């Protein structure tokens, strides 16, 4: 639940704070007291109670049978910490959420019964939809109340802790998103929260909130450096962490075509040709064809020899990293909240986190702290997004149309008709870019005076091209569960693992809730599809590399099991490569996220 606190006098933005939902307990006061819980009065100890809420402390409410009053109980260590660190973590609520009703931290009779009318945690516009911790309220006796502090005043360490918090919050929400039934969802949501507060993840989140609160407290006491208040503070747009245990991504043929085109380019671009003056990769399958084209970002650009050579130069820079960035942007576009114009934001840091790229770690006072990602890693992501802006796709695919057409009524149920769907559009439409020089106002130069060569694009607002629309609805809906390990494989040292993992994501992680999936594939066709290298001089190295990669996917739970089909012929002693390439193998994948499919709440 979230409640408005007031207005930040420096930014004129409304400050909101969040607190866990009211969870009635069956424990009595004597039992809690024996377990080192302490009773507090929310009205008499308002500052302390608000601090506990703002630090996500677990609070248990006990009903007094004599007068129906409610007592709040907290753990002794949480009470001691809140007393010494009176900091409430808060946030600026986005405009599209400000119409939601506020809630009171004092339990109502309806809340005590477990029928919670408003529980933003884990559903809809949720705590993961805001930048929790981007501002804090520090108890200031000299000011006679609370003083707001912003996250930028804490530097990279504060930002790193806040990003960890957001990842934990998102994962808590993913774990509870188990039903679309509103009434069942409320009951299950309450149970999910009750389980979550006892689990390690919620404890970790609570510890992170205390750690961030401590940084704010030190800043307030003058123990941490503060930026000059004379400079405007620019905050990055909302970019919730959506890739954890798994997330949904579009899985139609055009996505597979682009990934194949990028991988082929990294392997030498032998599958690319010049078609109508532009570099083109053609991806043919039984149900259609996708043309992946590389064009100038400005459609009015004349296609002279210099421009065409420039386009080919960019194609040769494409790699599996570009594919990772595309997958990350597709996942963000589906799972993250969109703005009023249907755009979504993503940052270079978030993409690097999704890919498992380690940031720089610095040691201070014997402790390691996160000091941000390397500039070259951020620059690589920026280059990928730039190349993606030049990627166009032309789709020619047979799809089913099961939509009910207005004005038509049929007494008999007819089979859906199949139509040839054709569309041409950009792969990704980037509409806004934030560059790093905008955040470096301390250089002494204005933004217009800074050299564009010294700037790096670090955040993008974008929309997925219109080509994806028919594949997210009706009979043609094609989505799959993406496991983060797929993005974490090194694109150069673990090329086999990454490309095979992507392939099985698109072919085996669709409709994961319906149970396990087993498929058969021919080794040679699989290697050809993924543009993986074959060592003709030493084919045994190729076979061992393939089997090593498959064993790795099984160890990482991306597939459950795999093996060669029993009726494959024996390998000859010499010149056995052609026979092995015709070998068929079976691969089984269990449901991608078994924890997501829990029994229905009673």
């Amino acid at each position: 639940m979230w409640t408005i606190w007031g207005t930040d006098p420096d930014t004129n933005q409304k400050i909101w704070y969040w607190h866990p939902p009211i969870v009635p307990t069956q424990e009595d006061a004597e039992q809690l007291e024996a377990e080192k819980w302490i009773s507090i009065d929310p009205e008499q100890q308002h500052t302390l109670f608000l601090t506990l809420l703002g630090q996500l402390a677990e609070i248990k409410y006990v009903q007094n049978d004599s007068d129906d009053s409610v007592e709040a109980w907290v753990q002794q260590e949480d009470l001691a910490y809140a007393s010494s660190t009176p900091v409430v973590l808060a946030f600026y609520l986005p405009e599209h959420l400000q119409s939601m009703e506020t809630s009171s931290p004092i339990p109502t009779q309806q809340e005590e019964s477990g029928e919670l009318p408003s529980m933003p945690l884990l559903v809809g516009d949720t705590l993961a939809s805001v930048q929790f911790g981007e501002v804090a309220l520090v108890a200031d006796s000299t000011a006679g109340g609370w003083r707001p502090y912003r996250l930028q005043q804490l530097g990279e360490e504060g930002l790193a802790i806040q990003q960890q918090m957001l990842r934990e919050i998102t994962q808590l929400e993913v774990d509870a998103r188990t039903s679309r039934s509103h009434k069942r969802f409320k009951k299950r949501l309450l149970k999910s929260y009750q389980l979550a507060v006892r689990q390690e993840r919620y404890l970790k989140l609570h510890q992170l909130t205390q750690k961030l609160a401590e940084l704010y407290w030190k800043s307030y006491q003058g123990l941490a450096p503060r930026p000059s208040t004379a400079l405007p503070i620019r905050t990055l747009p909302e970019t919730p962490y959506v890739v954890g245990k798994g997330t949904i991504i579009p899985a139609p043929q055009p996505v597979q075509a682009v990934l194949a085109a990028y991988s082929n380019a990294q392997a030498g671009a032998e599958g690319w040709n010049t078609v109508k003056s532009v570099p083109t990769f053609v991806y043919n399958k039984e149900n259609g064809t996708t043309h992946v084209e590389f064009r100038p970002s400005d459609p009015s650009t004349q296609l002279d020899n210099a421009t065409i050579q420039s386009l080919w130069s960019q194609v040769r820079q494409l790699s599996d990293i570009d594919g990772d960035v595309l997958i990350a942007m597709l996942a963000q576009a589906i799972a993250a909240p969109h703005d009023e114009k249907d755009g979504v934001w993503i940052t270079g840091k978030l993409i690097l986190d999704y890919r498992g790229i380690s940031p720089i770690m610095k040691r201070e006072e014997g402790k390691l702290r996160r000091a941000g990602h390397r500039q070259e890693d951020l620059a690589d992501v920026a280059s990928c997004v730039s190349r993606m802006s030049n990627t166009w796709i032309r789709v020619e695919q047979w799809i089913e149309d099961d939509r009910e057409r207005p004005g038509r009524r049929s007494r008999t149920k007819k089979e859906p008709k199949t139509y040839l769907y054709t569309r041409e559009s950009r792969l990704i439409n980037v509409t806004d870019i934030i560059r790093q020089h905008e955040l470096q106002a301390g250089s002494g130069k204005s933004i217009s005076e800074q050299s564009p060569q010294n700037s790096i694009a670090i955040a993008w607002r974008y929309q997925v091209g219109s080509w994806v629309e028919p594949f997210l609805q009706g009979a043609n809906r094609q989505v799959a569960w993406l496991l983060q390990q797929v993005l974490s494989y090194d694109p150069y040292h673990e090329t086999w693992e990454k490309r095979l993992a992507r392939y099985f994501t698109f072919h085996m992680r669709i409709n994961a809730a319906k149970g396990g999936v087993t498929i058969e594939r021919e080794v040679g066709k699989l290697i050809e599809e993924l543009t993986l290298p074959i060592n003709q001089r030493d084919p045994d190295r190729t076979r061992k590399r393939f089997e090593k990669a498959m064993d790795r996917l099984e160890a990482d739970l991306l597939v459950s099991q795999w093996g060669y089909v029993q009726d494959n012929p024996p390998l000859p002693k010499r010149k056995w490569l052609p026979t092995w390439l015709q070998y068929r193998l079976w691969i089984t994948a269990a449901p991608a996220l078994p924890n997501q499919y829990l029994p229905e709440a009673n």
Side-chain angles (χ1 to χ4, degrees):
M1 305 177 188
W2 45 52
T3 304
I4 192 168
W5 170 82
T7 303
D8 188 329
D10 295 327
T11 65
N12 202 34
Q13 293 176 279
K14 300 292 185 183
I15 297 177
W16 298 67
Y17 67 91
W18 182 89
H19 58 88
I22 306 305
V23 181
T25 180
Q26 301 300 319
E27 301 169 271
D28 57 27
E30 291 184 1
Q31 182 180 353
L32 291 172
E33 194 169 73
E35 294 174 358
K36 297 184 179 181
W37 289 69
I38 297 179
S39 174
I40 66 171
D41 188 331
E43 295 182 0
Q44 297 296 324
Q45 299 171 281
H46 183 73
T47 297
L48 186 58
F49 184 68
L50 183 59
T51 301
L52 289 162
L53 291 175
Q55 295 178 7
L56 303 189
E58 183 183 3
I59 301 175
K60 293 186 177 181
Y61 295 92
V62 178
Q63 178 130 13
N64 192 327
D65 294 333
S66 60
D67 57 4
D68 289 332
S69 62
V70 175
E71 292 181 339
W73 289 73
V74 298
Q75 297 183 42
Q76 287 185 6
E77 56 266 33
D78 288 342
L79 185 64
Y81 194 95
S83 299
S84 62
T85 313
V87 175
V88 177
L89 298 187
F91 52 89
Y92 302 116
L93 192 64
E95 291 183 3
H96 72 284
L97 301 180
Q98 291 183 14
S99 61
M100 296 189 65
E101 294 182 6
T102 63
S103 56
S104 169
I106 308 300
T108 65
Q109 184 177 359
Q110 187 180 22
E111 288 167 339
E112 291 166 13
S113 68
E115 299 177 5
L116 304 182
S118 175
M119 288 178 56
L121 175 65
L122 315 177
V123 289
D125 289 318
T126 66
L127 187 58
S129 300
V130 299
Q131 292 291 311
F132 181 66
E134 66 181 335
V135 63
L137 307 173
V138 179
D140 189 342
S141 56
T142 61
W146 300 88
R147 181 187 296 274
Y149 274 70
R150 290 176 293 281
L151 185 64
Q152 290 84 354
Q153 296 172 267
L154 306 184
E156 285 286 341
E157 184 178 5
L159 179 60
I161 295 174
Q162 191 234 15
Q163 291 300 309
Q164 284 183 273
M165 288 167 42
L166 296 182
R167 287 194 287 271
E168 294 298 325
I169 290 168
T170 299
Q171 204 55 57
L172 276 171
E173 299 192 355
V174 169
D175 290 344
R177 196 174 287 128
T178 57
S179 173
R180 295 182 180 179
S181 171
H182 187 61
K183 292 183 179 179
R184 289 180 177 178
F185 203 32
K186 282 186 176 181
K187 293 181 180 179
R188 183 176 299 179
L189 190 56
L190 182 58
K191 289 187 176 182
S192 299
Y193 173 78
Q194 291 170 323
L195 291 173
V197 296
R198 303 188 192 103
Q199 294 174 347
E200 182 179 352
R201 176 168 290 120
Y202 191 89
L203 176 61
K204 182 178 179 181
L205 173 60
H206 177 43
Q207 291 171 342
L208 287 170
T209 62
Q210 290 181 327
K211 191 174 181 180
L212 187 60
E214 183 178 1
L215 279 183
Y216 274 115
W217 183 245
K218 287 182 177 179
S219 179
Y220 162 73
Q221 293 179 311
L223 302 179
R226 304 180 190 177
S228 170
T229 57
L231 295 173
I233 296 176
R234 172 71 180 272
T235 60
L236 289 175
E238 174 190 350
T239 53
Y241 194 97
V242 302
V243 177
K245 285 185 178 179
T247 189
I248 289 177
I249 57 171
Q253 180 177 309
V255 177
Q256 301 173 50
V258 175
L259 294 177
Y262 288 173
S263 296
N264 185 273
Q266 177 175 314
E270 292 185 0
W272 288 76
N273 293 288
T274 300
V275 179
K276 296 182 180 179
S277 300
V278 297
T280 303
F281 181 89
V282 180
Y283 187 82
N284 282 310
K285 291 296 175 182
E286 293 182 358
N287 62 335
T289 301
T290 300
H291 301 259
V292 182
E293 301 174 343
F294 221 75
R295 306 183 190 174
S297 56
D298 183 357
S300 64
T301 301
Q302 183 178 358
L303 290 174
D304 53 24
N305 289 335
T307 300
I308 294 173
Q309 291 301 317
S310 175
L311 293 174
W312 272 109
S313 176
Q314 293 183 63
V315 167
R316 294 186 182 95
Q317 295 175 38
L318 292 168
S319 70
D320 287 326
I321 297 179
D322 294 78
D324 283 347
V325 173
L326 170 61
I327 292 174
M329 295 178 77
L330 292 175
Q332 198 77 11
I334 284 188
H338 289 215
D339 59 25
E340 65 280 359
K341 295 184 179 180
D342 203 30
V344 66
W345 281 91
I346 197 168
T347 66
K349 290 183 178 180
L350 191 60
I351 292 174
L352 292 174
D353 286 341
Y354 289 164
R355 294 183 53 226
I357 303 299
S358 300
I360 300 171
M361 303 299 292
K362 292 186 177 180
R363 186 174 295 277
E364 292 183 0
E365 300 179 355
K367 296 182 180 180
L368 287 175
R369 71 170 182 86
R370 174 172 170 154
H373 284 287
R374 295 166 180 82
Q375 292 296 99
E376 55 267 30
D377 291 334
L378 291 170
D380 286 345
V381 172
S383 297
C384 290
V385 178
S386 177
R387 288 191 290 268
M388 208 171 297
S389 298
N390 292 349
T391 304
W392 286 67
I393 59 175
R394 184 155 46 91
V395 181
E396 300 170 358
Q397 186 168 345
W398 292 96
I399 64 174
E400 291 183 355
D401 188 352
D402 61 350
R403 294 171 295 177
E404 294 184 4
R405 302 189 179 275
R408 294 187 180 181
R409 300 180 63 182
S410 176
R411 296 182 180 179
T412 60
K413 185 176 181 180
K414 296 182 179 180
E415 292 294 326
K417 293 184 178 180
T418 302
Y419 296 87
L420 179 61
Y421 165 79
T422 62
R423 180 165 290 189
E424 179 179 297
S425 71
R426 287 186 188 273
L427 178 62
I428 297 288
N429 296 314
V430 177
T431 59
D432 298 88
I433 302 175
I434 293 180
R435 298 186 177 274
Q436 186 165 302
H437 64 223
E438 293 185 57
L439 306 178
Q440 296 177 339
S443 63
K445 295 182 179 180
S446 67
I447 299 300
S448 59
E449 293 174 329
Q450 296 184 33
S451 171
Q453 286 77 16
N454 295 329
S455 68
I456 298 177
I458 60 171
W460 301 266
R461 181 187 177 276
Y462 65 98
Q463 299 167 323
V464 181
S466 59
W467 58 268
V468 78
E469 294 172 1
F471 303 108
L472 296 179
Q473 57 191 3
N476 303 293
R477 177 176 167 83
Q478 299 175 38
V479 295
W481 278 106
L482 168 72
L483 303 181
Q484 187 168 3
Q485 181 60 45
V486 176
L487 298 178
S488 298
Y489 287 127
D490 186 291
Y492 298 110
H493 301 98
E494 297 172 322
T495 305
W496 286 72
E497 288 80 2
K498 179 175 288 292
R499 295 185 187 176
L500 286 166
R502 287 178 181 169
Y503 181 90
F504 295 129
T505 292
F506 289 110
H507 290 265
M508 304 184 71
R509 292 305 186 185
I510 298 177
N511 297 325
K514 295 184 178 180
V517 177
T518 299
I519 62 173
E520 288 190 10
R521 291 295 184 270
E522 188 175 301
V523 173
K525 291 182 179 179
L526 188 59
I527 290 176
E528 181 182 6
E529 166 89 7
L530 302 178
T531 321
L532 292 167
I534 297 177
N535 191 326
Q536 299 285 347
R537 297 183 61 182
D538 190 357
D540 195 49
R541 295 187 64 178
T542 301
R543 181 174 61 86
K544 289 180 178 179
R545 184 66 185 92
F546 173 79
E547 293 174 351
K548 177 184 176 182
M550 293 299 299
D551 288 342
R552 175 71 182 279
L553 298 191
E554 183 176 336
D556 290 340
L557 305 180
L558 295 175
V559 301
S560 300
Q561 287 182 307
W562 78 278
Y564 293 108
V565 174
Q566 290 185 356
D567 59 1
N568 284 318
L571 289 178
K573 293 183 179 180
R574 300 179 59 188
K575 298 183 179 179
W576 51 264
L577 179 61
T579 303
W580 177 73
L581 291 176
Q582 293 178 358
Y583 264 25
R584 295 190 64 79
L585 63 149
W586 57 266
I587 312 98
T588 298
L593 299 176
N595 292 335
Q596 299 301 310
Y597 309 105
L598 304 176
E600 291 290 341
N602 294 326

